[in-house]
């Protein structure tokens, strides 16, 4: 994901028009600057650029580790196969649904949590630490505890809330449990980013608004949210990209049964488990493209700023 | 300027040298480890409680010519396969002997990861092996592994609920319905989750109905009348209200536990359930009975799917002759018997099913301290009968994809529409065989 941004920012610095009259010393200094950052740039290219190019190359071939003799160049046939397959689109819809619903819930809960943490007067440090615990737990470990909690006989949640049924064997309940696990895990992260945004809101503005007669809700909507907009958009961008790649929770909770497979799960099944490098790479390229589109929408249309950039709007 | 130049000329080579130096140091350490004492053979095999003892026996027999190191793979079969496939695809030379599930041999053979067994080694690996297990170790008429153990499912029941085991699936469903009407434990328990376990049940039904999923050479999809009939049975048994509510979440151990909780009248499962039952409910053990699988057509015995492990020699191995010898030792008659009575993995050698001598032949039989095949396997005649008429899962390098697709299309089994499901399977499996389609 970071590669998307690297690609978009890299040309900016490289194509900067050179100023005509540079002294010998300045030029040497600039060359030194280039040489100093060259290793880092080369390493970046090698670790991010090469795999991407290689997977694009693989996606144009029939390449199955189990049939090494039958490797051949097939052009876009793999893309046609994947894009015309109902399994892929089911997984795509599931992933999109999971992403949108879980990020929406996280935004609301995260905002509430951020407001609470921001306003807490007593034990502020303790409150913040406690609310961050879910984010500190390894996802797989948390997923297993949800799995057992929702399994009849072993699970306190299944026994008390689900009666005699097994919610993880049904479509809608398993999706709800996956969303619950995601929300539980990443709301603190959302809250953390939003809290940083809250710190941007000057108290003077809020006081002035209060003087003008704005009530709490109006102050929140008309003053805080607009000032926080950059922080909210960054938080949404990060979480959306993350949520789109959902893998571990699904892997543990349902292993993709009952149509709960995500695109990452399916890519794993084809690429790693199925040893089918052609189809699997095609899927990972498609995920890459989708992620790039999501990032593009956020950055160009909503004007999300990359963290650290001076301008809080469009570039 | 001079400073800058000195910096940019001097530093990178220094860093490179440091990195290279560290690399060589590590490489030196690694090679030092492996070349310390004679030939080390790396065995990658599933965790088996007492298998280290077998490895030790073989090391003692080798008398210093080689030393087998038992590298325990993960517990899950999928994880085991991935671990080995990843290493082999990367050309890892540290693998010598591979423990392959019976469904992986064609895949590893076709990918060029397993060495072919020829000559005297082949003769030794084939001698006295039951035909079903032997078929799992061959691909394209060549032998790529030596059978280590086999396994076969049985029908388990409680003779207080059903004094006589049902002879056919129809009988079993009828019996379950009657028990349900009488308010007694009635469920037919089997592995209905969307995974390999469901494929095993389906394959048994197909073979018992005389059908085929793939052609015998594994190159094309057949899905004949028998395969459709099997779908009908699966549909009927799961939609008559005689299966557990969490059927579609049940794997082997869930099935075992459900039966032990008294939640079923019939259990279709591997023999490991007997040892667990004996451990956990010894007071009920005399009523825990077994039989071969019910038939599909009256009068035609069922053909049950076999499981188990085979041992292959890795094509990346640097010590192939020793690896073949060691693999033969690990699955010798004596060691198969030891694993069978100690670890509950049924042997692939026919002779052991009539062997009555205890582990230590010099002492009398004692079920606890000196077991024999007869004391450890009260159900061995049933296992042997099932093995003689066993079904093998489709032999093809693409088995993993096939299995994923079959379990997906069959889930949940109550939603099967026999003819439509068969057509879907036919087109999906054809794609999978040609590494074209998407697997879910």
């Amino acid at each position: 994901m970071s590669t998307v941004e690297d690609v978009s920012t890299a040309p900016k610095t490289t194509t900067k028009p050179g100023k005509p009259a540079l002294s010998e010393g300045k030029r040497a200094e600039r060359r030194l600057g280039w040489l100093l950052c060259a290793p880092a740039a080369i390493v970046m290219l090698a670790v991010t650029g090469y795999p991407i190019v290689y997977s694009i190359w693989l996606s144009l071939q029939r390449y199955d580790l189990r049939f090494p003799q039958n490797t051949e160049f097939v052009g876009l046939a793999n893309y046609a196969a994947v894009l015309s397959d109902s399994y892929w689109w089911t997984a795509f819809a599931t992933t999109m649904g999971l992403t949108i619903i879980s990020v929406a819930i996280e935004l609301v809960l995260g905002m509430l949590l951020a407001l609470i943490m921001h306003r807490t007067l007593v034990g502020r440090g303790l409150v913040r630490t406690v609310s961050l615990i879910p984010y500190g737990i390894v996802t797989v470990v948390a997923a297993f505890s949800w799995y057992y909690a929702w399994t009849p006989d072993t699970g306190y949640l299944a026994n008390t809330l689900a009666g005699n049924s097994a919610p993880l064997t049904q479509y809608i309940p398993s999706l709800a449990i996956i969303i619950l696990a995601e929300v539980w895990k990443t709301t603190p992260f959302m809250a953390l980013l939003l809290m940083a945004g809250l710190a941007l809101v000057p108290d003077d503005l809020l006081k002035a608004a209060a003087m003008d007669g704005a009530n709490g809700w109006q102050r929140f909507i008309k003053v805080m949210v607009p000032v926080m907009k950059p922080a909210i958009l960054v938080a949404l961008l990060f979480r959306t990209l993350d949520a789109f790649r959902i893998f571990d929770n699904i892997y543990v909770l349902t292993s993709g049964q009952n149509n709960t497979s995500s695109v990452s799960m399916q890519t794993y099944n084809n690429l790693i488990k199925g040893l089918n490098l052609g189809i699997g790479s095609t899927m990972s390229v498609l995920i890459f493209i989708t992620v790039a589109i999501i990032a593009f929408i956020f950055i160009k249309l909503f004007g999300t700023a990359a963290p650290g950039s001076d301008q809080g709007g469009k570039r | 300027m001079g400073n800058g130049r000195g910096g940019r000329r001097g530093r990178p080579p220094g860093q490179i040298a440091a990195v290279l130096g560290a690399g060589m140091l590590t490489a030196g350490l690694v090679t030092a480890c492996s070349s310390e004492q004679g030939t080390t053979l790396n065995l990658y095999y599933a965790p088996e409680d007492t298998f280290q003892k077998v490895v030790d026996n073989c090391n003692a027999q080798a008398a210093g010519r080689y030393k087998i190191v038992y590298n325990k793979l993960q517990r899950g079969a999928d994880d085991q396969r991935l671990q080995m496939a990843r290493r082999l695809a990367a050309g890892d030379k540290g693998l010598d002997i591979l423990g392959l599930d019976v469904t992986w041999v064609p895949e590893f053979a076709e990918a060029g990861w397993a060495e072919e067994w020829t000559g005297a080694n082949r003769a030794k690996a084939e001698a006295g092996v039951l035909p079903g297990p032997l078929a799992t170790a061959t691909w394209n008429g060549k032998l790529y592994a030596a059978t280590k153990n086999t396994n076969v499912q049985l029908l388990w029941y409680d003779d207080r609920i059903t004094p006589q085991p049902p002879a056919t699936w129809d009988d079993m469903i009828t019996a379950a319905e009657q028990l349900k009407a009488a308010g007694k434990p009635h469920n037919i328990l089997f592995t209905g989750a969307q995974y390999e376990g469901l494929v095993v049940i389906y394959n048994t039904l197909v073979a018992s109905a005389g059908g085929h999923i793939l052609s015998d050479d594994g190159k094309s999809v057949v899905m004949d009348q028998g395969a459709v009939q099997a779908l009908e049975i699966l549909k009927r048994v799961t939609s008559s209200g005689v299966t557990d509510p969490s059927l579609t979440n049940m794997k082997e151990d869930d099935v075992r536990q459900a039966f032990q909780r008294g939640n079923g009248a019939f259990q279709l499962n591997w023999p490991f359930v007997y040892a667990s039952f004996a451990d956990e409910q010894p007071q009920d053990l005399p009523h825990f009975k077994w039989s071969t699988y019910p038939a599909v057509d009256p009068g035609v015995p069922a053909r049950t799917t076999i499981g188990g492990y085979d041992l292959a020699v890795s094509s990346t191995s640097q010590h192939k002759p020793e690896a073949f010898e060691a693999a033969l030792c690990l699955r010798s008659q004596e060691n198969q018997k030891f694993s069978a009575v100690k670890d509950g993995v049924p042997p692939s050698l026919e002779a052991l099913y009539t062997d009555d001598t205890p582990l230590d032949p010099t002492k009398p039989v004692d079920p606890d301290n000196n077991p024999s095949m007869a004391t450890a396997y009260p159900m061995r005649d049933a296992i042997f009968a099932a093995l003689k008429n066993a079904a093998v899962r489709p032999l093809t390098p693409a088995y993993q994809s096939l299995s994923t697709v079959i379990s997906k299309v069959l889930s949940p089994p109550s939603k099967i529409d026999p003819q439509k499901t068969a057509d879907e399977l036919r087109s999906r499996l054809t794609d999978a065989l040609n590494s074209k389609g998407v697997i879910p």
Side-chain angles (χ1 to χ4, degrees), chain A residues 294-306:
Chain A
I294 294 176
F296 177 85
I297 291 174
F298 268 98
I299 291 173
K300 290 294 175 195
L301 301 186
F302 297 162
T304 311

Side-chain angles (χ1 to χ4, degrees), chain A residues 35 62 64-68 85-87 153 169 257-259 266 268-270 272-273 275-276 279 283, chain B residues 8 78 81-82 107 110-111 194 248-249 261 397-398 400-401 408-409 428 434-436 438-440:
Chain A
L35 281 172
R62 178 185 169 180
D64 192 321
L65 281 181
R66 297 164 303 193
F67 300 100
D85 198 297
S86 60
Y87 289 160
D153 294 328
T169 62
Q257 292 181 29
N258 309 307
N259 292 328
Q266 211 167 76
Y268 170 83
N269 282 345
N270 282 272
I272 309 285
K273 233 168 109 182
L275 304 175
N276 191 341
I279 295 278
M283 291 178 159
Chain B
R8 70 177 181 265
D78 280 350
R81 172 177 162 275
L82 277 186
E107 179 175 29
E110 190 77 17
Q194 183 185 323
T248 56
N249 222 18
R261 279 198 306 272
Q400 185 70 31
S401 306
K408 165 80 183 174
V409 175
R428 286 277 177 195
N434 297 316
S435 39
K436 277 191 182 127
V438 171
I439 55 175

Side-chain angles (χ1 to χ4, degrees), chain B residues 200-221:
Chain B
V200 167
I201 295 283
Y202 179 61
N203 188 65
T204 297
L205 285 169
V206 173
S208 304
H212 287 85
I213 299 174
L214 295 194
S215 60
D216 284 337
D217 64 359
K219 301 238 158 53
S220 56
V221 181

Side-chain angles (χ1 to χ4, degrees), chain B residues 336-359:
Chain B
Q336 280 204 24
K337 184 168 155 184
F338 180 83
S339 296
V341 297
K342 288 288 188 187
D343 257 325
V345 289
S348 64
L349 295 170
E350 186 167 354
L352 288 174
Y353 288 90
T354 46
D355 182 311
D356 281 325
T357 50
L359 267 192

Side-chain angles (χ1 to χ4, degrees), chain A residues 284-302:
Chain A
S284 51
V285 170
L286 289 172
I287 294 179
F288 176 75
I289 292 172
T290 316
V291 162
I293 292 174
I294 294 176
F296 177 85
I297 291 174
F298 268 98
I299 291 173
K300 290 294 175 195
L301 301 186
F302 297 162

